[in-house]
Amino acid sequence: MTLDLKKAEMLIDKKDIEEIKDGKKTIYKYMPTNTTIEYVWDGIKLGSPSPIQVIQYDSNGEIEEIFDFDNDENGYWNAVDKFQELIERQTNQTPPPPPPCNEDEEEQKLREQLKESGLNEEQIDVTVEAMKPLCVKTTPPPPPPPPPIDCKYEIVEKLTGYKLDDIKNQFADIKELTNFLYAEFDESDFQKMGVDKWKFLELTESCEPLYFPDDNPPPPPPPPPPPPKEDCKPEVLLALTGVDADKVRTTFRTMRNLVGTLKTISQSEFDKLGVNKGEFIELTQRCADTYFGG
């Protein structure tokens, strides 16, 4: 499978990257932090004893740290992650956001990669269409949960003389508790505790679950029985693509890529294996958790 620095380009500012050729070795250097990722293309594609390396240099150009990675696709992406980690550690900040994605540019890059992998023009067209849109917007992370309410229950304990766990046994509900506090204590009693009487009564009402927890919540419904395990026919996928089931995730990376590749394979290849092309593609999509889960 053809590799490029697409993932790295998504993580760092390309204008600060210098590309260096040293024989067969390709070196990408992030200039602001003197950090490099170095690999031999033929080594990744065909296998080689030369490791992929990420190297951190000091301001004088002397090596500070070297990280070696397996010379395969998985090792390459692990090296890219380490490359990014060192940059963040050196700058102590998140790198600039990636430039806007251009659909035409991404399509051209994809076509060049597919051409290098040996696909013909018709197969390339089908695969590109199956993988569109190429610029997929990511969902922003959810906001952090609000901090828990400080109910100041110790004030209620001091005023009533009852421990928190015993409040529910002494008062019928939150209204009876707040009515008791309202009637039995004046504003000066609350001021001695460092709170405003009216605001504290409102706070206490908002903390009803703390004082009157539901000790007998309805039991959750039993989980549905698991569906019968699907026979994904990994032996058919292996015969069609040459990829074992345990390597599907690292080879194709997404279900869209896998389906796009299957669509480029001729019907006759499926017929030889005794399977219907359309039904097998649908089966493979149902097996997403088997191939891409975890």
Side-chain angles (χ1 to χ4, degrees):
M1 182 176 181
T2 301
L3 300 173
D4 60 19
L5 269 185
K6 182 175 180 182
K7 182 174 181 181
E9 290 175 349
M10 293 294 287
L11 294 172
I12 57 182
D13 191 343
K14 288 186 288 185
K15 75 177 189 304
D16 291 326
I17 289 289
E18 178 183 357
E19 181 178 352
I20 305 166
K21 293 292 185 180
D22 181 8
K24 290 188 175 182
K25 182 184 291 186
T26 298
I27 302 172
Y28 285 88
K29 184 175 183 180
Y30 187 68
M31 305 302 292
T33 62
N34 221 6
T35 310
T36 67
I37 179 170
E38 308 180 5
Y39 64 93
V40 177
W41 165 249
D42 289 339
I44 297 175
K45 189 174 182 183
L46 304 176
S48 165
S50 268
I52 303 169
Q53 292 186 318
V54 175
I55 304 175
Q56 179 62 57
Y57 297 87
D58 63 19
S59 58
N60 296 320
E62 300 293 332
I63 294 176
E64 287 185 343
E65 295 179 283
I66 299 179
F67 301 89
D68 290 343
F69 298 88
D70 292 338
N71 208 8
D72 55 25
E73 183 181 359
N74 191 53
Y76 174 84
W77 293 121
N78 288 337
V80 170
D81 289 337
K82 175 58 70 173
F83 187 45
Q84 170 66 8
E85 177 189 322
L86 291 181
I87 291 169
E88 290 187 6
R89 192 172 76 189
Q90 292 293 317
T91 59
N92 197 28
Q93 63 183 10
T94 303
C101 179
N102 183 290
E103 191 78 14
D104 292 336
E105 291 180 1
E106 294 303 314
E107 180 175 334
Q108 185 59 35
K109 290 179 185 177
L110 177 59
R111 287 182 177 277
E112 290 174 359
Q113 293 176 28
L114 295 174
K115 187 175 181 179
E116 288 182 19
S117 66
L119 297 182
N120 61 39
E121 289 299 326
E122 182 180 354
Q123 292 173 322
I124 290 174
D125 289 340
V126 173
T127 302
V128 169
E129 287 303 315
M131 295 175 65
K132 286 184 177 180
L134 302 177
C135 294
V136 180
K137 293 182 179 179
T138 57
T139 303
I149 299 175
D150 180 8
C151 294
K152 302 185 185 298
Y153 67 87
E154 65 278 2
I155 295 178
V156 174
E157 289 182 332
K158 290 178 181 178
L159 292 173
T160 64
Y162 299 118
K163 289 294 184 182
L164 176 63
D165 291 341
D166 201 33
I167 294 289
K168 63 183 178 183
N169 299 322
Q170 303 300 326
F171 300 93
D173 52 32
I174 194 69
K175 281 296 184 185
E176 184 175 341
L177 172 60
T178 53
N179 287 340
F180 174 81
L181 294 172
Y182 170 77
E184 295 294 325
F185 304 97
D186 58 29
E187 293 186 13
S188 63
D189 294 312
F190 288 91
Q191 289 172 357
K192 291 176 185 178
M193 300 289 180
V195 295
D196 176 84
K197 178 177 181 177
W198 306 108
K199 290 182 178 179
F200 184 74
L201 293 177
E202 291 178 359
L203 172 65
T204 302
E205 284 200 6
S206 70
C207 291
E208 179 179 8
L210 175 66
Y211 299 107
F212 299 93
D214 186 359
D215 293 331
N216 298 297
K229 191 170 179 63
E230 190 102 50
D231 178 9
C232 298
K233 301 186 184 299
E235 68 281 358
V236 175
L237 188 62
L238 173 62
L240 291 169
T241 65
V243 179
D244 290 321
D246 60 352
K247 295 182 179 178
V248 168
R249 182 174 183 175
T250 56
T251 301
F252 294 98
R253 305 192 74 81
T254 67
M255 177 57 74
R256 178 181 293 172
N257 292 352
L258 174 56
V259 169
T261 298
L262 289 175
K263 288 181 177 180
T264 68
I265 298 174
S266 66
Q267 178 66 54
S268 61
E269 296 300 315
F270 289 87
D271 294 340
K272 291 176 186 177
L273 299 171
V275 295
N276 178 277
K277 180 175 180 177
E279 291 178 357
F280 181 74
I281 290 176
E282 290 180 3
L283 170 64
T284 302
Q285 289 176 306
R286 294 198 301 272
C287 290
D289 286 344
T290 298
Y291 295 128
F292 296 95

